[in-house]
Amino acid sequence: MHSLRCPPIIGAVADITLLQGDITEQDVDAVVNAANGSLMGGGGVDGAIHRRGGPAILEECKQIRESRYPDGLPTGNAVATTAGDLPARWVIHTVGPVYAKSEDRSHLLASCHTKSLRIADELGALTVAFPAVSTGVYGYPLELAAPVAIEAVRSASTGVAEVRFVLFDGAAYQAFEEALAG
Ligand code: APR
């Protein structure tokens, strides 16, 4: 039985939803990882995804590094791997910008979202969960990051039907709620 995979209906994301919780628990097609350029794991979201998703994720990250990104994944870019033991099917690893007062890097943060959605389309993922990329270790203020993330998703041309921002705490949830309302 050949499943006929229709091309995604390209347009704006139908639903942007907010949830306070743990991104590793999300039963969506793809979860986005706030990675670093090494793709070798880390703390925060990265640590949680690798811990819960298991070694298969890191194995594929190593293959990607060897075959496509020997110098590391550049900031603003994204790549996909299996989600291993996570409820999701894929992990889309993206590298957010480190916040800098002296330099506007919002275009790189926006790129994390648009490129992750482009990869979701290539995979045929219809539901995608994003964390608040760059707002932890990378120091991006929530009130600056949230509008960039929301606007990048809102203006994306994609077949993804639902983007779910999964916020780890109340402050992040509130920042995204205000950005969504704005
Ligand atoms: N689910 C959802 N959100 C989470 C989770 C989780 N399990 N764990 C942390 N967060 C939130 C943080 O509270 C923060 O708001 O994700 C946001 C991003 O924080 P980080 O994970 O620190 O990511 P980032 O700021 O992009 O820094 C990336 O940190 O972990 C390392 O390897 C990673 O070097 C990279 C850097």
Side-chain angles (χ1 to χ4, degrees), residues 21-24 34-36 41-46 48 131-139 166-169:
D22 182 338
I23 199 164
T24 64
N36 60 63
V45 172
D46 204 1
V133 176
S134 283
T135 65
V137 168
Y138 282 0
V166 183
L167 294 324
F168 212 39
D169 56 37

Side-chain angles (χ1 to χ4, degrees), residues 9-21:
I9 302 161
I10 300 294
V13 174
D15 278 327
I16 298 178
T17 59
L18 308 180
L19 177 78
Q20 188 169 334

Side-chain angles (χ1 to χ4, degrees), residues 24-72:
T24 64
E25 295 172 359
Q26 302 308 309
D27 187 4
V28 291
D29 294 331
V31 294
V32 175
N33 180 23
N36 60 63
S38 77
L39 295 179
M40 293 297 108
V45 172
D46 204 1
I49 284 177
H50 281 279
R51 211 169 25 253
R52 174 142 184 209
I57 299 174
L58 187 60
E59 272 319 299
E60 288 195 14
C61 285
K62 286 175 182 171
Q63 289 163 19
I64 290 169
R65 279 294 312 277
E66 276 162 35
S67 58
R68 293 165 53 198
Y69 292 101
D71 299 330

Side-chain angles (χ1 to χ4, degrees), residues 8-9 13 28-30 90 120-121 123-128 159-163:
I9 302 161
V13 174
V28 291
D29 294 331
W90 295 287
D121 284 339
L123 295 167
L126 295 179
T127 55
V128 178
V160 169
E162 182 202 353
V163 164

